[in-house]
Amino acid sequence: MHTTDPPDAGIRPAAGGLPAELGRRLYRDMLATRLLDTEAIALQRQGVFPAYVSVRGQEAAQVGSAAAAERGTDFVFPTYREMGVALTLGVDMAGYMASHRALWHGGLYDPMASRFAPVNAVVGGPVPHAVGWAVGERLRGGGGCALSYFGDGASSEGDVHEAMNFAGVYGAPVVFICQNNRWALSVPNERQIAGGSVAARAAGYGMPGVTVDGNDAAAVHAATHEALERARNGEGPTLIEALTYRLEPHSTSDDPGRYRDPAEERAWRGRDPLPRLRRELERAGHAGAAFFACAEAEARADAERIRDAVSAAPEPPGTDMFAYVLREPTRELARQQRVWHEEVEA
């Protein structure tokens, strides 16, 4: 059985810690993500969600990076696991969770208003979209940057390589954020990442590659902020590899006991980013018992509200399958809709 060790060396440390208010905000968003994630797993167990992919253990990588984005200007391109990013950016979370309930492909929220693209379940799929948007943003003279999220498994997809090469050639204002959670479903890093590092590949695309401790919210935030500043100054893209760990199964249909050593999981649970940030805030004197109690109560109430909202959301009409495919329906699409009506009305 394969095991991996937690990262201890060769990664960029936090740049001077976090300002008090930023640290408290990151903690609140990480805690809210953790509690909502717990509710989502319960919804799947209750049959409300057909399936779900947990973000537990990756909250610092997601919240820390998303908090560095400029609201209303930058645009984020997620996979199917970026709950913490969505929450940090203020996305309507009941609408976001509608995708996990299979009510609507991509989510029932406004991507343009939230600057958070539709949930994308294609492995590596959002990365070319991010690069295309970034090039278009520069051509129109805008000041926004794209943030593209993907996992270590997706880093081996052709879409990702092509998108990074294109971004490097054209100097696109995009930040690639690889959450390396050590497992491409059941395949460990060394069996699908040649050279042992995703960040090392950046040199071949003419961009900086940065490796950070993905469980250190301050380090992730600092690296993302620096990369965004480079992009805004016309210095091109950056690849950030956030070393973290997926504490839960790949999805609710996965059994990690078939391929992961329990000792490895225990070691990484000891590096849980949420209590780690709490300890740092307490040591710095930035937060006390009253803050943590209030954050817990607010996050739990929000998680329960979102849970109830997505559970009670009505299913969309079947005609939506045809109404939002093309601006001008084709004859074939019209034929499919007629067949569907005949089958439903029969």
Side-chain angles (χ1 to χ4, degrees):
M1 180 157 319
H2 174 86
T3 62
T4 61
D5 296 320
D8 290 313
I11 56 177
R12 179 180 295 192
L18 289 168
E21 180 49 41
L22 175 59
R24 289 191 292 267
R25 178 157 56 92
L26 294 182
Y27 182 85
R28 284 192 295 264
D29 287 344
M30 287 170 60
L31 177 61
T33 300
R34 174 69 58 88
L35 295 179
L36 182 56
D37 184 74
T38 301
E39 292 287 358
I41 293 173
L43 287 174
Q44 193 281 327
R45 300 304 187 208
Q46 295 161 13
V48 178
F49 289 177
Y52 178 68
V53 288
S54 174
V55 68
R56 189 181 184 93
Q58 298 181 215
E59 294 92 348
Q62 295 196 7
V63 174
S65 56
E70 189 172 309
R71 293 276 194 100
T73 302
D74 297 334
F75 214 111
V76 169
F77 294 81
T79 70
Y80 46 77
R81 203 187 295 270
E82 272 66 61
M83 174 194 281
V85 179
L87 189 146
T88 302
L89 294 176
V91 174
D92 168 30
M93 293 309 293
Y96 171 89
M97 301 292 279
S99 181
H100 290 293
R101 192 181 148 196
L103 292 179
W104 186 267
H105 182 69
L108 279 169
Y109 58 88
D110 186 343
M112 296 304 293
S114 63
R115 314 291 283 182
F116 186 84
V119 174
N120 194 324
V122 177
V123 178
V127 184
H129 298 174
V131 174
W133 182 90
V135 171
E137 176 75 352
R138 191 180 63 181
L139 289 174
R140 78 175 186 86
C145 300
L147 287 86
S148 176
Y149 289 85
F150 57 100
D152 46 296
S155 73
S156 296
E157 291 288 332
D159 281 357
V160 174
H161 292 291
E162 292 167 17
M164 286 187 181
N165 188 64
F166 192 95
V169 169
Y170 288 94
V174 57
V175 178
F176 300 101
I177 302 175
C178 174
Q179 295 174 82
N180 185 343
N181 65 22
R182 305 307 173 106
W183 290 95
L185 211 166
S186 60
V187 180
N189 277 184
E190 61 269 24
R191 285 176 51 196
Q192 61 97 25
I193 298 176
S197 169
V198 175
R201 297 172 177 170
Y205 305 124
M207 68 181 76
V210 179
T211 303
V212 296
D213 183 347
N215 285 9
D216 184 338
V220 175
H221 184 273
T224 308
H225 177 78
E226 181 180 330
L228 286 169
E229 287 302 300
R230 286 190 69 259
R232 275 188 239 287
N233 292 334
E235 298 175 51
T238 300
L239 169 59
I240 297 174
E241 181 180 13
L243 299 176
T244 182
Y245 192 78
R246 164 171 55 80
L247 292 177
E248 297 293 329
H250 174 77
S251 72
T252 48
S253 60
D254 176 38
D255 176 13
R258 295 176 301 155
Y259 56 86
R260 286 202 316 206
D261 191 326
E264 173 189 319
E265 296 183 5
R266 287 194 296 272
W268 278 95
R269 288 185 188 280
R271 300 175 71 95
D272 189 316
L274 194 59
R276 175 177 176 174
L277 180 55
R278 174 169 180 154
R279 290 192 298 268
E280 291 171 359
L281 291 174
E282 289 174 329
R283 278 197 298 265
H286 292 165
F291 164 79
F292 293 115
C294 182
E296 173 86 19
E298 291 178 352
R300 192 168 298 281
D302 283 344
E304 292 173 357
R305 174 185 55 79
I306 295 165
R307 173 202 66 197
D308 294 343
V310 72
S311 298
E315 294 189 5
T319 52
D320 281 0
M321 290 190 293
F322 308 97
Y324 303 101
V325 179
L326 301 168
R327 182 188 295 272
E328 298 293 335
T330 63
R331 292 174 60 183
E332 175 58 21
L333 186 64
R335 185 196 67 79
Q336 292 178 19
Q337 186 169 8
R338 286 196 303 272
V339 171
W340 178 83
H341 273 295
E342 291 170 0
E343 293 177 349
V344 169
E345 294 171 358

